[in-house]
Amino acid sequence: MLLVGFENALTALVAGTASVCLALALMRLWDRLRGGRRGALGHDRLQPGLQPMIFLFRRQRLVDVTAPGRTLLDRVAAPDDEWGRLQRWIGPRFELAGERLDQLARQGRVELVGRHGIGSAALRLLAEDLGDDLIRITLTDPEAEQAGIVVDSMAQQAMEEELDLLRRALDQTPMLVWRQDAEDRVTWANAAYLRRAETLDDGSGGWPLPRLLDTPKPVPGAGTTTRRAPLDSNGVISWYDCHSHRMGDETMMFALPADAAVRAERSLREFVQTLTKTFADLPIGLAIFDRQRNLQLFNPALIDLTGLPTGFLTARPTLFDLLDKLRELRMVPEPKDYRSWRQQMSNLESAAATGHHVETWSLPGGQTYRVTGRPHPDGAVAFLFEDITSEISLTRKFRAELQLGAHVLDGLDDALAVFGPDGKVLVRNRAYLALWGDGAETLGAALAAWQDRAAPGPGFAALRARLTGHDEARRDSGAMAGPDGRLLRWSVTGLGGGRQMLRLSTPDIAADTGPERDDYASAMGAG
């Protein structure tokens, strides 16, 4: 009996345990099934489906819009009206969107699928004509419908901040940035480009955007292509350095303002033109050689003075080739031999490169040239050829006339001396030097020498007063005792400009009568 009772108890215990385990298993299965259903059904309640963007317009004026649609319009830059903003946003994402929407009144319904590409979502656009001038536009993303994608909030925030930073940077940059497709249509542009487009398009802001610049075509495999292009805005020309870079089937364009560079280049070009015109009018031949001694610049006077062929000069000869050509044309001094002449030309080039150097060339044809060499920056050197034949002839003629006058003065028996307004001795002849034998260079020194060698008297005092201008009753002639007691007759003549000429002669006393004889007697008595 005890054994039977034990078996019954054990059976009951096993049955109860099995019942509990089965109940737990069923409950767990039930919970799992409920959890799966909750995951399949309740997730939509926890994560609502993506709300479409719906816009309601009446005569292109916004009547109503969903929250995502409002967010989209707020993120799109000018124009101010919502219809223009929406057109600007959908234009690069839906091919021929503007033309198809213009046909909405006739067709009643237009459905478009967006492009697939870099930065483009697989969007679907549905435009419906509801009548009474009402148009409803719905934008949805078929790939995101019922996807239930959960995004990390921190990662989403970081991406949005970076995106906002990049968008602000591109919108605030002064350069024009835009993107073109394979047909050269503008598919995206930054704020600077949009502002310029609105200025040229009277602020209509329609899509597609106009191409503002004649941009370079990217060369396959060449990376970035650069070209400078003008932009005419109401008669005002602006210049841009355009850079194109291929990105798949599309091209990114960057246009940097180049007005300052263009102005600088224009100023430099005008300056060079002014110098060129100035050089062309100079009577002096000019030849400028670079650091390799190749001719870089010359003026027409060089051809006129040297007779060098124009074709030879335009071929940019070297300095020594030019000098050899001048030697062939007999436009350099006749050398004793070629080696000495070559050494002389080498010395000319070295002296001109290191500092200011001047030479005078007496040519076989009787002409005289002054050749000046000057160093220029960066190792360049300039040579100036000047015809000084007339100047040399005039100098020689003037020198000959001076020598003739000196010979005439030296041929006179009377002693002559000319004093300047400052008392400096300007001219004296050979008779004067023989009489006084002094080398006095001033009037004061000459008077002192005369007083030492001649006996002072009334005649000498009168001469001093006349020359120094201290005597109000100046006498223009008189007599005085000369060296060794000889009697001298003097006369002073004004030559203009404060200059005075003194003439001393030995008189013939027997022939003199009247007051002059008394002067001689007085001068001799004083002696």
Side-chain angles (χ1 to χ4, degrees), residues 331-334 344-345 348 357-364 366-373 384-389 391-393 396:
M331 295 304 296
V332 295
E334 191 68 30
Q344 181 183 357
M345 294 301 101
L348 172 64
H357 181 72
V358 180
E359 284 189 2
T360 300
W361 289 1
S362 297
L363 305 182
Q367 297 169 302
T368 303
Y369 282 2
R370 179 188 292 124
V371 180
T372 304
L384 291 84
F385 297 83
E386 184 179 1
D387 187 357
I388 59 173
T389 305
E391 178 183 342
I392 294 297
S393 300
R396 290 173 179 173

Side-chain angles (χ1 to χ4, degrees), residues 8-148:
N8 292 334
L10 181 60
T11 301
L13 178 62
V14 171
T17 303
S19 300
V20 172
C21 291
L22 180 60
L24 292 175
L26 291 175
M27 291 176 62
R28 186 170 298 175
L29 179 61
W30 175 253
D31 291 338
R32 185 176 299 174
L33 291 174
R34 291 187 60 190
R37 182 174 298 180
R38 206 166 35 240
L41 301 177
H43 180 74
D44 288 340
R45 292 190 294 269
L46 296 176
Q47 301 290 336
L50 296 178
Q51 186 179 5
M53 299 182 186
I54 302 177
F55 306 86
L56 189 62
F57 288 93
R58 183 190 299 274
R59 299 186 185 90
Q60 297 186 356
R61 294 181 62 87
L62 185 64
V63 177
D64 197 3
V65 62
T66 61
R70 172 55 64 184
T71 303
L72 173 65
L73 293 177
D74 292 341
R75 289 184 178 181
V76 178
D80 296 334
D81 61 294
E82 289 81 359
W83 178 261
R85 294 186 194 178
L86 182 60
Q87 295 298 313
R88 175 155 294 173
W89 190 85
I90 66 177
R93 291 170 174 80
F94 296 90
E95 188 174 2
L96 303 177
E99 299 178 5
R100 297 293 303 276
L101 290 178
D102 291 340
Q103 301 172 3
L104 180 61
R106 184 172 64 256
Q107 297 180 0
R109 176 187 175 92
V110 173
E111 186 172 357
L112 300 174
V113 178
R115 297 189 183 98
H116 290 272
I118 300 175
S120 298
L123 300 177
R124 184 175 63 191
L125 183 146
L126 176 62
E128 301 170 289
D129 187 356
L130 304 180
D132 197 19
D133 295 330
L134 285 174
I135 296 176
R136 180 171 62 193
I137 297 178
T138 305
L139 291 172
T140 57
D141 184 357
E143 295 182 359
E145 289 180 355
Q146 298 180 355

Side-chain angles (χ1 to χ4, degrees), residues 23-280:
L24 292 175
L26 291 175
M27 291 176 62
R28 186 170 298 175
L29 179 61
W30 175 253
D31 291 338
R32 185 176 299 174
L33 291 174
R34 291 187 60 190
R37 182 174 298 180
R38 206 166 35 240
L41 301 177
H43 180 74
D44 288 340
R45 292 190 294 269
L46 296 176
Q47 301 290 336
L50 296 178
Q51 186 179 5
M53 299 182 186
I54 302 177
F55 306 86
L56 189 62
F57 288 93
R58 183 190 299 274
R59 299 186 185 90
Q60 297 186 356
R61 294 181 62 87
L62 185 64
V63 177
D64 197 3
V65 62
T66 61
R70 172 55 64 184
T71 303
L72 173 65
L73 293 177
D74 292 341
R75 289 184 178 181
V76 178
D80 296 334
D81 61 294
E82 289 81 359
W83 178 261
R85 294 186 194 178
L86 182 60
Q87 295 298 313
R88 175 155 294 173
W89 190 85
I90 66 177
R93 291 170 174 80
F94 296 90
E95 188 174 2
L96 303 177
E99 299 178 5
R100 297 293 303 276
L101 290 178
D102 291 340
Q103 301 172 3
L104 180 61
R106 184 172 64 256
Q107 297 180 0
R109 176 187 175 92
V110 173
E111 186 172 357
L112 300 174
V113 178
R115 297 189 183 98
H116 290 272
I118 300 175
S120 298
L123 300 177
R124 184 175 63 191
L125 183 146
L126 176 62
E128 301 170 289
D129 187 356
L130 304 180
D132 197 19
D133 295 330
L134 285 174
I135 296 176
R136 180 171 62 193
I137 297 178
T138 305
L139 291 172
T140 57
D141 184 357
E143 295 182 359
E145 289 180 355
Q146 298 180 355
I149 301 174
V150 179
V151 181
D152 182 10
S153 61
M154 298 298 293
Q156 178 72 16
Q157 182 180 2
M159 288 188 294
E160 290 179 355
E161 290 177 354
E162 183 177 1
L163 179 61
D164 182 68
L165 175 61
L166 294 176
R167 183 183 294 112
R168 288 176 180 270
L170 283 177
D171 288 342
Q172 293 177 4
T173 181
M175 65 178 176
L176 310 182
V177 184
W178 70 99
R179 184 178 60 194
Q180 297 179 180
D181 59 12
E183 287 77 22
D184 291 339
R185 291 175 298 192
V186 178
T187 60
W188 175 86
N190 70 337
Y193 190 97
L194 297 177
R195 287 193 294 268
R196 294 308 300 265
E198 290 171 6
T199 302
L200 298 177
D201 203 21
D202 298 330
S204 59
W207 195 270
L209 292 173
R211 288 184 58 195
L212 301 181
L213 298 167
D214 185 11
T215 54
K217 292 289 185 181
V219 179
T224 301
T225 307
T226 304
R227 176 182 177 182
R228 180 166 293 173
L231 175 60
D232 189 352
S233 176
N234 299 324
V236 179
I237 303 297
S238 301
W239 289 91
Y240 292 87
D241 288 331
C242 301
H243 305 266
S244 61
H245 186 76
R246 176 72 68 181
M247 296 179 59
D249 294 336
E250 296 185 320
T251 305
M252 284 300 300
M253 309 298 304
F254 305 88
L256 282 70
D259 291 335
V262 170
R263 286 194 298 269
E265 293 173 0
R266 184 183 296 113
S267 299
L268 179 59
R269 185 165 54 252
E270 293 175 353
F271 178 70
V272 172
Q273 291 177 353
T274 302
L275 288 181
T276 302
K277 293 178 180 179
T278 304
F279 293 156

Side-chain angles (χ1 to χ4, degrees), residues 278-353:
T278 304
F279 293 156
D281 295 334
L282 284 177
I284 301 175
L286 175 66
I288 298 180
F289 299 85
D290 58 16
R291 63 187 311 171
Q292 284 79 29
R293 298 300 178 261
N294 293 318
L295 183 63
Q296 295 295 327
L297 180 65
F298 66 93
N299 65 340
L302 181 66
I303 301 175
D304 298 337
L305 292 175
T306 61
L308 291 170
T310 305
F312 173 76
L313 294 175
T314 55
R316 301 185 182 277
T318 64
L319 172 60
F320 290 104
D321 289 341
L322 186 142
L323 294 175
D324 287 338
K325 190 68 174 180
L326 289 177
R327 182 172 178 268
E328 294 177 6
L329 298 174
R330 297 175 60 84
M331 295 304 296
V332 295
E334 191 68 30
K336 296 180 180 180
D337 56 74
Y338 182 78
R339 179 175 299 178
S340 63
W341 177 83
R342 188 73 175 186
Q343 183 62 41
Q344 181 183 357
M345 294 301 101
S346 298
N347 296 337
L348 172 64
E349 187 270 338
S350 301

